[in-house]
Structures are given as structure tokens and as C-alpha cells.
């Protein structure tokens, strides 16, 4: 089996990071070579861009500037980490990728889809993951989770958490359009239930993809 590039997508608070960590542990326990990474970031330069991107001190960053920052980080990530890791035979599990740009910078911030597409062409030559797990839940649930007291207490909130519910609605709508346009690539995970329910869906996917080869006598 050639190594797979798998991305985790969804609204803030949809459970991407929680289940990505668990999926990595699940694979490591079975001896499957796996690399865990995230966007924006994933490289020293990318993580520096991420800090700029998420820092509230800049106030409202222009949508085009934001898009260029994330695609700059993405190109570095592909060249420095993702492609070499896949070429070396290790699966890559990545928290967010270009679908996030389409949903957040596109529908969320209102950048025309063809601008995003031009940046995508320039930065990634329209590189798509092999599989994308999309964690779906109503915008209201994500909004509430994103604002939960525990996350605020941990300081685990960033500039995007300040956006309003309508923003989340637009982002979810765009994600669902992306899923409809490329159903082969996406696997929709219903993440509106409790964590174990969500995990069982992720585990079922992992079992299907990483099933050990059948030994013929
Ligand atoms: N079904 C569920 N799956 C995952 N997390 C859940 C679920 N129900 C509640 N949570 C809680 O929601 C919060 C958000 O989870 P997590 O940080 O994994 O989301 P995320 O998609 O990575 O968000 P962000 O985009 O903001 O990083 C956590 O505090 C988690 O405990
Ligand atoms: Mg996260």
C-alpha cells in the first residue's frame, strides 16, 4: 500500500485535533508508520506564520493577506515535510489543509473561489489529499464548543473564535459543498454526539483503510 495523505477538516471545535491524536496513537500501536502535522504550520517557518495568523494583536487581517499567509505556509509544508514524508513510505495525517482555505477564507471571509483556486494552483499545483475526514456538526454546536468555559480557561482560543455564528454557518455550508463535489475523497464523520461515538466512526474508517493484508495459506 502506498503511503496516504489524510486530512482532518471541520469547524473549530468539531473534534479534528482530538481524533487526529487518537488516530495517530491507534496507528502507532499497530506499527503503522505515521506522521502527525497541522496547518497553518507544520514546519518552523509555517509555525511562525501560524503565530502571526492567530495573534489577535493585528486586529482584522485582510482576507487576501490571510489567504496568502496560509498558502505560503502550505507550500513550505508540502515541500519540506508532507511530500518527503510520503515518499519515504510514512502516512501523513494533517489537521486542516486546502479545504480549510476554501471554507474559511473563501466562504467565511468572502474571497471569490477563483482567487483561492489561483493561490492553490500557485502554491500546491492543486494538490489534494488521498482522503479527507470531515467532522460535521451544526454551526451552533461548534460555536458553543468553541466558546466552552474549559477552552477559554486553557487559553485554547484564538482570533477565529471571535467570529460570529453566521461565519460558522457559511463555513459549514461551504464544507458541505466541497463534500458534495468530491464524495470519493471525503468521509463524513458525524461529530455532534459524544467523543466516543465520534471516535467509533473514525476507528471504523481506520480499520477499513489499514486492515492488515489477508494471509493466504
Ligand atoms: N464528539 C466530540 N468529538 C470531539 N471533541 C468533542 C466532542 N464533544 C465535545 N468535544 C470537545 O470539543 C472541544 C474541541 O475539540 P478539538 O479541539 O478536538 O476540536 P478542533 O476541531 O481541533 O478545534 P479547532 O479547530 O478549534 O482546533 C474539546 O474540548 C473536546 O473535548
Ligand atoms: Mg484543533
Amino acid at each position: 500500500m502506498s503511503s496516504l495523505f489524510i486530512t482532518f477538516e471541520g469547524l473549530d471545535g468539531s473534534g479534528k485535533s482530538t481524533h487526529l491524536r487518537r488516530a495517530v496513537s491507534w496507528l502507532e500501536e499497530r506499527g503503522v508508520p505515521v506522521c502527525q502535522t497541522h496547518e497553518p504550520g507544520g514546519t518552523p517557518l509555517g509555525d511562525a506564520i501560524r503565530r502571526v495568523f492567530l495573534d489577535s494583536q493585528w486586529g482584522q487581517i485582510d482576507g487576501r493577506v490571510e489567504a496568502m499567509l496560509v498558502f505560503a505556509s502550505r507550500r513550505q509544508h508540502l515541500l519540506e515535510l508532507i511530500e518527503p514524508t510520503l515518499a519515504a513510505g510514512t502516512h501523513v495525517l494533517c489537521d486542516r489543509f486546502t479545504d480549510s482555505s476554501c471554507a474559511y477564507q473563501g466562504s467565511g471571509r468572502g474571497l471569490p473561489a477563483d482567487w483561492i483556486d489561483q493561490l492553490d494552483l500557485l502554491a500546491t499545483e492543486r494538490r489534494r489529499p488521498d482522503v479527507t475526514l470531515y467532522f460535521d456538526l451544526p454551526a451552533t454546536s461548534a460555536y458553543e464548543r468553541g466558546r466552552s468555559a474549559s477552552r477559554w480557561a486553557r487559553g485554547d482560543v484564538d482570533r477565529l473564535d471571535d467570529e460570529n455564528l453566521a461565519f460558522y454557518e457559511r463555513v459549514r455550508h461551504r464544507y458541505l459543498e466541497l463534500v458534495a463535489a468530491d464524495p470519493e475523497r471525503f468521509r463524513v464523520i458525524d461529530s455532534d454526539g459524544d467523543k466516543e461515538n465520534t471516535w467509533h466512526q473514525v476507528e471504523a474508517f481506520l480499520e477499513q483503510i489499514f486492515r492488515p493484508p489477508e494471509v493466504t495459506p
Side-chain angles (χ1 to χ4, degrees):
M1 164 187 202
S2 58
S3 36
L4 295 174
F5 177 28
I6 303 176
T7 56
F8 287 54
E9 291 282 357
L11 293 174
D12 306 24
S14 59
K16 300 176 297 296
S17 306
T18 303
H19 293 100
L20 192 147
R21 282 192 295 271
R22 204 159 164 184
V24 167
S25 303
W26 190 96
L27 290 166
E28 285 175 347
E29 280 162 19
R30 284 154 184 81
V32 178
V34 60
C35 167
Q36 172 181 348
T37 188
H38 61 268
E39 291 214 343
T43 64
L45 174 64
D47 284 326
I49 294 173
R50 179 191 181 88
R51 285 193 290 278
V52 170
F53 180 79
L54 295 178
D55 192 333
S56 58
Q57 73 167 299
W58 316 119
Q60 186 74 22
I61 299 180
D62 172 74
R64 271 196 243 184
V65 173
E66 188 175 273
M68 287 189 280
L69 287 173
V70 288
F71 274 106
S73 162
R74 182 162 301 137
R75 177 156 185 82
Q76 188 69 26
H77 196 197
L78 271 174
L79 296 178
E80 189 178 326
L81 185 91
I82 297 173
E83 300 294 12
T85 303
L86 292 169
T90 297
H91 304 288
V92 174
L93 269 58
C94 184
D95 197 332
R96 297 195 180 282
F97 196 65
T98 302
D99 297 311
S100 284
S101 299
C102 296
Y104 280 80
Q105 279 75 49
S107 293
R109 301 210 180 275
L111 283 197
D114 69 307
W115 293 4
I116 305 278
D117 184 56
Q118 284 176 48
L119 283 174
D120 184 32
L121 181 62
L122 194 65
T124 82
E125 287 147 50
R126 297 204 182 97
R127 179 70 156 99
R128 292 290 171 267
D130 298 298
V131 186
T132 297
L133 297 185
Y134 166 58
F135 291 79
D136 186 51
L137 81 175
T140 43
S141 306
Y143 190 64
E144 290 308 318
R145 273 190 207 169
R147 294 187 165 269
S148 77
S150 63
R151 294 192 80 207
W152 281 102
R154 294 203 307 269
D156 188 13
V157 286
D158 54 45
R159 199 167 53 78
L160 294 179
D161 283 323
D162 287 337
E163 300 299 336
N164 58 27
L165 183 58
F167 176 94
Y168 280 71
E169 301 276 11
R170 289 198 302 278
V171 172
R172 185 193 188 204
H173 183 76
R174 184 70 185 125
Y175 268 127
L176 292 172
E177 284 179 348
L178 293 167
V179 170
D182 196 357
E184 301 265 289
R185 171 164 66 90
F186 282 97
R187 174 96 173 211
V188 179
I189 306 289
D190 174 2
S191 68
D192 199 20
D194 64 25
K195 267 189 234 177
E196 283 310 301
N197 180 291
T198 307
W199 168 249
H200 286 138
Q201 296 170 65
V202 177
E203 190 177 36
F205 158 78
L206 294 171
E207 275 168 354
Q208 183 190 330
I209 299 287
F210 295 98
R211 192 181 299 126
E214 281 174 27
V215 183
T216 41

